[in-house]
Amino acid sequence: MDWFVEYYNGCGLTIKVRRKIYEVSGVQKIEIYETESFGKMLVIDGKIQLTEFDEAIYHEMLVHVPMLSHTHPKKVAIIGGGDGGALREVLKHDVDRAVLVDIDRNVIDLCRKYVGIDERAFDDERVEVVISDGKEFLANCERFDVVIVDSTDPVGVSDTLFDKEFFEFAAKKCDVFCCQSQSPLVQKEYFKILIENSRVFEKRRVYTSCIPTYPLALWSFIIAGNFDFDRLEERFERLRGKTKHYNPEVHRAAFALPEWLKKEVE
Ligand code: AG3
């Protein structure tokens, strides 16, 4: 029995692992573990991307907040998210088309084979997979109702998903945009870049959720574009019974920010 540790800012999250299921180094270093008490765990370039224990909290907050803040999302793009968790949540809505764009085919193939949180989402006929850099894709794609960014930390291949040009493309290509925006506590530099660059959207708001296996648990998201929370209860009817974590009360509460965070957003 071994321990996996992710370190950040002189601190570390330690998780007991039973075995390493798979490891490969291609576009990124991908490791899949079976943990003692959090189920399977995906690690990319040394950073925990998900555990079966808490992935639903992250994926539901990343997906249902923007999806229910749009009147009728039919065409959705997910940038990143090769593990299929966000895709699984998008397909719970009445969508016609869901395009998943990941730069690393290994993430998709290995997660389908060894993790399985996609729950066969990739076999759904509404789904199209594109292997590409997300920024290049957004520069040339058609318009989507909702664009969701499920990226890794901005070191290595996903740094282009954090720059100003990326947000400029995004603002042109969708009604509602949402991205994960890192830990506002221990990854302040990443969070600030996203806050700064997302200013290209006239309207944008930050929300948070607690994801225990991410650095210090407090995690942030940015929603931007033409979103509204007007008829959340009514819109939620199409999802009722299909979520573990999300509901309209949690949606609204997630936007309550403490003073220190409000200051960083302004
Ligand atoms: N991507 C966002 C999590 C990044 C975690 N960072 C870290 N552990 N340093 C999650 C991808 C899951 N679909």
Side-chain angles (χ1 to χ4, degrees):
M1 198 92 71
D2 227 337
W3 298 89
F4 175 87
V5 191
E6 181 181 339
Y7 294 98
Y8 31 79
N9 290 22
C11 164
L13 173 65
T14 310
I15 293 184
K16 202 170 197 178
V17 294
R18 288 205 182 120
R19 69 189 177 104
K20 189 182 270 189
I21 299 173
Y22 204 88
E23 177 180 328
V24 71
S25 284
V27 177
Q28 306 170 103
K29 181 177 174 197
I30 302 170
E31 296 163 271
I32 296 170
Y33 292 92
E34 185 186 318
T35 70
E36 173 72 12
S37 41
F38 289 172
K40 287 181 200 126
M41 173 168 77
L42 170 68
V43 176
I44 298 182
D45 291 338
K47 299 186 166 67
I48 297 172
Q49 298 302 313
L50 67 88
T51 74
E52 285 183 291
F53 163 69
D54 59 355
E55 60 84 13
I57 305 176
Y58 171 81
H59 289 123
E60 290 188 16
M61 292 305 283
L62 175 68
V63 169
H64 301 316
V65 170
M67 290 296 281
L68 290 193
S69 303
H70 188 286
T71 41
H72 213 58
K74 286 287 180 190
K75 269 175 67 177
V76 180
I78 299 166
I79 312 284
D83 52 77
L87 185 62
R88 175 195 74 209
E89 295 305 320
V90 164
L91 295 179
K92 290 179 180 172
H93 297 261
D94 180 26
V95 294
D96 293 336
R97 206 159 112 75
V99 182
L100 182 132
V101 185
D102 202 298
I103 197 164
D104 190 349
R105 184 182 289 281
N106 280 337
V107 178
I108 300 172
D109 293 347
L110 297 175
C111 286
R112 286 181 80 176
K113 190 158 176 199
Y114 298 113
V115 185
I117 62 155
D118 64 295
E119 293 174 3
R120 305 207 150 266
F122 289 101
D123 296 334
D124 193 294
E125 57 187 16
R126 296 167 291 172
V127 172
E128 185 191 333
V129 171
V130 177
I131 304 299
S132 159
D133 171 77
K135 185 166 134 184
E136 267 169 41
F137 173 83
L138 263 198
N140 303 304
C141 69
E142 75 234 71
R143 227 185 125 77
F144 288 90
D145 299 319
V146 177
V147 169
I148 293 166
V149 184
D150 184 12
S151 64
T152 52
D153 297 15
V155 267
V157 291
S158 62
D159 59 353
T160 57
L161 308 180
F162 287 66
D163 67 27
K164 187 152 180 235
E165 212 181 11
F166 176 78
F167 281 89
E168 283 164 0
F169 293 146
K172 284 191 196 121
K173 293 296 169 75
C174 63
D175 299 336
V176 175
F177 171 89
C178 188
C179 65
Q180 69 87 14
S181 50
Q182 311 283 153
S183 163
L185 267 179
V186 284
Q187 297 178 318
K188 282 190 191 297
E189 31 355 311
Y190 300 159
F191 180 70
K192 272 191 191 140
I193 289 171
L194 290 166
I195 288 299
E196 203 40 52
N197 291 343
S198 61
R199 279 185 208 285
V200 301
F201 285 93
E202 246 168 64
K203 185 172 152 196
R204 79 204 198 313
R205 280 183 78 178
V206 169
Y207 63 100
T208 62
S209 190
C210 173
I211 324 287
T213 60
Y214 288 169
L216 294 186
L218 180 68
W219 210 250
S220 70
F221 304 83
I222 299 172
I223 185 170
N226 191 11
F227 60 92
D228 71 74
F229 307 157
D230 295 348
R231 294 167 20 247
L232 285 185
E233 276 73 16
E234 196 186 313
R235 292 173 188 169
F236 183 59
E237 283 312 314
R238 60 188 192 236
L239 264 191
R240 195 175 286 285
K242 295 184 190 163
T243 61
K244 285 190 184 135
H245 184 82
Y246 178 93
N247 62 37
E249 296 101 283
V250 166
H251 180 136
R252 291 204 174 86
F255 286 84
L257 302 184
E259 286 301 296
W260 64 266
L261 187 48
K262 275 190 190 172
K263 276 198 192 101
E264 306 211 359
V265 173
E266 276 153 18

